[in-house]
Amino acid sequence: MLYREAGQFKSSYAEDGRIFPIRQDRIGFALLMLAFGVVVPLLANEYWLKAILTPVLIFSLAAIGLNILTGYAGQLSLGSAAFMAVGAFAAYNFILRVDGMPFLLALALAGLAAALVGVLFGLPSLRIKGFYLAVATLAAQFFIVWVLVKFPWFSNHSSSGVVTAQEVRILGYAFVSPEAKYVLTFAVVAVLALAAKNLVRSATGRAWMAVRDMDVAAQVIGFRLMRTKLLAFAVSSFYCGVAGALYAYTYIGTVEPEGFNLDLSFKILFMIIIGGVGSILGAFLGAAFIVLLPILLDNLVPALFGDALGAGFASNLQLIIFGGLIIFFLIVEPHGLARLWQIAKEKLRLWPFPH
Amino acid sequence: MARQSGDVIVDLRNISLRFGGVKALTDISFDVREHEIRSIIGPNGAGKSSMLNVINGVYHPQEGQIHFRGQLRRRMEPHHAAEQGIARTFQNIALFKGMTVLDNIMTGRALKMRCNFLQHAFYWGAAQREETAHRLKVEEIIEFLEIQSIRKTPVGRLPYGLQKRVELARALAAEPHILLLDEPMAGMNVEEKQDMCRFILDVNDHYGTTIVLIEHDMGVVMDISDRVVVLDYGRKIGDGLPDEVKNDPDVIRAYLGGAH
Ligand SMILES: Nc1ncnc2c1ncn2[C@@H]1O[C@H](COP(=O)(O)OP(=O)(O)OP(=O)(O)O)[C@@H](O)[C@H]1O
Ligand SMILES: [Mg+2]
């Protein structure tokens, strides 16, 4: 079957507004969802589910959050990990302190708590831009982690500062196995990714992009800068917050504030740079890439070169490749892997008749 | 040119605007009547763009008053102006570079859309209905300005003349009462200018939109304006019908002696 839109005429503006206007894409996407939602949890082994697929989904969610703020609304942030921390510790405390707190409600509240903190740290964006705003979010990164360490209440006075996520139960079913945790993560991420896609293709997304591209013109059209920017901070932090809670509850199980450090914030930033700034798909591609590359290198390097190059080589190589790729994408293709994918599809649409 | 002008809709009284030591506007008064095409002309740096920025709240004059439909406006912000039905285009195109033509024009509808972000996140239902309804209106404008074939093109890839047209489309999408146009024909060839003139006259004619126009091409200005204000070094040196202004000795001197 050729990848073609020939003969597929859009007969209404609603059809024209679809996420996947081409039928082959819709079928492909449905198959992809089926594969990752049903087939993968049935077939994949524990290592893949626990160490690769679940974290990729969680990081994708955080990357979507950062992409909303940075890619769509144009506000650079280096505090994503801190908002994840807010989500993780909020979920922990809601479940700990409220009897019978349903997990999904705790997840939503964790997101809301992060959103609230996000709005607070978004206030400087009304006055400062670009580099200076990045520095302000950097301050948020350190301040939030410091608060979580400083006040032991947040970690329920655990002596080490490390907290262990409680068992996840929804309607009496305990999500203990890697398969169950993966499926739960998948469901939450799928729903939120769809909501994000809807947001960015509607008036809210246009407002964000308008403010990003030309703020004076946006104001003249009638957008309120404050409202638009703060909404971006709120929604972005909500996504990071939920990602943080999932990180604690369906991925690593035990978390401490310092785990959500600047390194993690940068990792998420690299995900959107490599995956594609201003693209929901890009968040997934970037997250997958950054999780998979080290694993790939760990396996590939010894296979290709044996032990001759020493143990440190693979991890150094990894840093070199990351650095190179980030420079490449920043300079050559700011829209990242998502854009490369799009170009490939456009080529395919014409293939095999290139004109 | 037998258009019917109506009541005074914008009344500017003794406007003065300074940037530090630079006097951009000094004691300027003039008015704009409903349904007219009111042009502002003057040499480079005369303060024409500043005047538009004062009218829609981008700049706040240190002195003077602005009456809008007979009411005094105090410290109006740009979004207030938009809510009052004032739309504009910019001298240096101010399109949203990362968005398509269609999305750019859709932003012009922003103030008319009611759904909130939660409805947008859900999309199906109210948000989609609203989107489709406004898309219909936007398609009308796209057809009117003859830009159907570039709907889905990112605006950054368009040639200059088309970008100007898209910017006009975005302003028209708001269905404004007053349209402020800052040199909409600058840098265009004769044919493009003719098209733009036709669009401006059509908008004025069909929708009765009041138009404040800044333009350097005297032929165009004299042709399509109802009344003309002349600025020079931030002062008003002429005001009246095109023919009166054309023959005003002060105006002739400013144009012959000025940077033009
Ligand atoms: N934001 C600003 N800050 C400082 N000075 C400004 C600003 N805007 C305008 N000016 C100054 O005000 C004066 C009038 O500028 P304005 O842009 O209004 O002129 P203009 O008549 O539109 O000129 P042109 O024909 O070149 O567009 C100029 O001296 C300009 O330098
Ligand atoms: Mg100007």
Side-chain angles (χ1 to χ4, degrees), chain B:
Chain B
M1 299 281 130
R3 269 183 305 272
Q4 282 289 306
S5 293
D7 301 333
V8 170
I9 185 167
V10 184
D11 191 7
L12 299 142
R13 298 187 194 159
N14 311 102
I15 302 288
S16 292
L17 175 72
R18 286 182 301 275
F19 296 103
V22 180
K23 288 184 175 172
L25 299 170
T26 310
D27 197 26
I28 292 187
S29 305
F30 70 94
D31 61 22
V32 181
R33 292 180 173 278
E34 217 154 354
H35 310 312
E36 76 173 337
I37 297 183
R38 183 74 149 129
S39 289
I40 304 177
I41 62 170
N44 290 105
K48 306 180 294 295
S49 297
S50 302
M51 201 65 241
L52 284 201
N53 282 324
V54 165
I55 294 177
N56 80 332
V58 177
Y59 293 165
H60 302 285
Q62 280 82 8
E63 279 148 51
Q65 298 179 329
I66 305 171
H67 293 259
F68 186 74
R69 291 185 193 284
Q71 292 212 321
L72 181 65
R73 289 265 149 251
R74 296 189 185 285
R75 216 188 149 76
M76 182 168 59
E77 295 301 325
H79 63 255
H80 293 132
E83 283 154 16
Q84 301 284 338
I86 303 180
R88 75 173 281 185
T89 65
F90 293 80
Q91 184 170 355
N92 311 308
I93 300 169
L95 285 171
F96 306 124
K97 287 278 182 305
M99 299 160 73
T100 62
V101 168
L102 182 62
D103 278 344
N104 265 276
I105 305 174
M106 284 294 280
T107 60
R109 305 286 302 166
L111 283 179
K112 301 199 179 299
M113 300 180 88
R114 290 282 159 268
C115 285
N116 62 37
F117 79 98
L118 289 174
Q119 289 170 303
H120 291 152
F122 190 70
Y123 197 74
W124 294 276
Q128 190 182 25
R129 273 197 303 279
E130 187 176 62
E131 187 86 0
T132 308
H134 287 271
R135 175 75 189 272
L136 277 171
K137 187 72 205 170
V138 162
E139 286 294 333
E140 252 173 56
I141 293 162
I142 286 177
E143 206 164 305
F144 169 63
L145 292 178
E146 298 158 15
I147 46 178
Q148 295 93 328
S149 58
I150 53 166
R151 254 192 218 100
K152 296 284 173 75
T153 312
V155 290
R157 288 198 212 152
L158 296 176
Y160 185 81
L162 276 179
Q163 291 197 11
K164 284 260 177 196
R165 208 184 278 192
V166 174
E167 212 190 5
L168 177 63
R170 185 180 67 185
L172 288 179
E175 299 177 62
H177 297 301
I178 305 178
L179 186 55
L180 313 177
L181 301 175
D182 197 342
E183 305 198 15
M185 291 163 236
M188 287 187 170
N189 63 34
V190 178
E191 210 169 326
E192 288 173 324
K193 276 189 187 179
Q194 279 172 351
D195 281 343
M196 192 51 104
C197 273
R198 182 162 53 86
F199 295 136
I200 293 172
L201 287 170
D202 274 358
V203 169
N204 180 248
D205 234 33
H206 282 55
Y207 306 104
T209 310
T210 308
I211 291 171
V212 181
L213 172 72
I214 297 178
E215 185 47 54
H216 276 299
D217 186 322
M218 281 309 127
V220 168
V221 169
M222 296 304 157
D223 239 30
I224 70 172
S225 313
D226 293 301
R227 291 189 297 156
V228 180
V229 176
V230 191
L231 303 184
D232 189 23
Y233 291 114
R235 292 177 185 277
K236 184 171 102 172
I237 59 167
D239 188 353
L241 301 174
D243 281 334
E244 295 169 6
V245 165
K246 202 158 44 181
N247 299 318
D248 186 310
D250 284 342
V251 175
I252 293 167
R253 198 171 319 122
Y255 268 87
L256 291 180
H260 243 60

Side-chain angles (χ1 to χ4, degrees), chain A residues 15-314:
Chain A
E15 272 177 40
D16 195 32
R18 278 177 167 163
I19 299 178
F20 300 108
I22 300 177
R23 192 188 309 121
Q24 284 89 330
D25 278 341
R26 283 199 294 279
I27 296 169
F29 183 72
L31 289 178
L32 197 73
M33 293 294 281
L34 207 66
F36 278 97
V38 180
V39 181
V40 161
L42 288 176
L43 297 184
N45 66 26
E46 188 172 324
Y47 171 74
W48 268 83
L49 287 172
K50 259 175 132 167
I52 299 174
L53 294 165
T54 304
V56 164
L57 287 174
I58 292 170
F59 286 130
S60 301
L61 193 61
I64 289 174
L66 181 61
N67 229 337
I68 284 173
L69 186 62
T70 304
Y72 287 94
Q75 313 295 307
L76 186 55
S77 164
L78 296 176
S80 319
F83 298 122
M84 287 178 72
V86 173
F89 280 84
Y92 174 73
N93 281 289
F94 277 122
I95 293 172
L96 177 75
R97 292 168 207 282
V98 181
D99 258 349
M101 167 65 75
F103 179 74
L104 290 178
L105 180 61
L107 210 56
L109 289 172
L112 289 177
L116 209 68
V117 177
V119 167
L120 214 62
F121 284 98
L123 286 172
S125 72
L126 307 177
R127 292 252 157 240
I128 53 179
K129 291 183 187 177
F131 174 73
Y132 297 96
L133 181 64
V135 173
T137 58
L138 197 60
Q141 167 69 49
F142 289 113
F143 181 75
I144 290 170
V145 171
W146 177 79
V147 167
L148 290 174
V149 174
K150 177 80 184 164
F151 299 97
W153 183 86
F154 288 113
S155 44
N156 198 27
H157 300 276
S158 127
S159 55
S160 56
V162 178
V163 301
T164 303
Q166 302 89 337
E167 189 181 71
V168 177
R169 265 185 184 280
I170 297 174
L171 301 174
Y173 179 81
F175 289 75
V176 183
S177 69
E179 289 84 1
K181 285 182 175 174
Y182 168 81
V183 169
L184 175 62
T185 310
F186 179 84
V188 172
V189 173
V191 168
L192 288 180
L194 180 62
K197 184 72 194 171
N198 285 341
L199 274 176
V200 300
R201 67 186 171 128
S202 63
T204 297
R206 287 194 296 265
W208 286 337
M209 291 186 274
V211 166
R212 172 195 70 190
D213 285 349
M214 188 69 74
D215 54 1
V216 176
Q219 274 178 298
V220 163
I221 284 171
F223 293 116
R224 309 208 174 200
L225 287 193
M226 180 164 88
R227 206 185 282 171
T228 310
K229 283 184 184 177
L230 290 185
L231 180 63
F233 270 97
V235 175
S236 161
S237 309
F238 179 90
Y239 276 78
C240 288
V242 174
L246 288 175
Y247 187 85
Y249 281 84
T250 66
Y251 176 38
I252 50 176
T254 56
V255 291
E256 55 184 328
E258 279 106 338
F260 298 96
N261 54 17
L262 187 60
D263 274 5
L264 184 58
S265 283
F266 268 112
K267 210 161 151 183
I268 295 164
L269 182 62
F270 294 161
M271 286 174 191
I272 73 167
I273 291 174
I274 290 177
V277 174
S279 156
I280 302 294
L281 170 68
F284 287 93
L285 297 179
F289 188 89
I290 291 210
V291 171
L292 285 174
L293 183 71
I295 298 170
L296 194 72
L297 288 180
D298 279 347
N299 290 311
L300 216 59
V301 169
L304 286 179
F305 304 104
D307 292 333
L309 295 164
F313 182 74

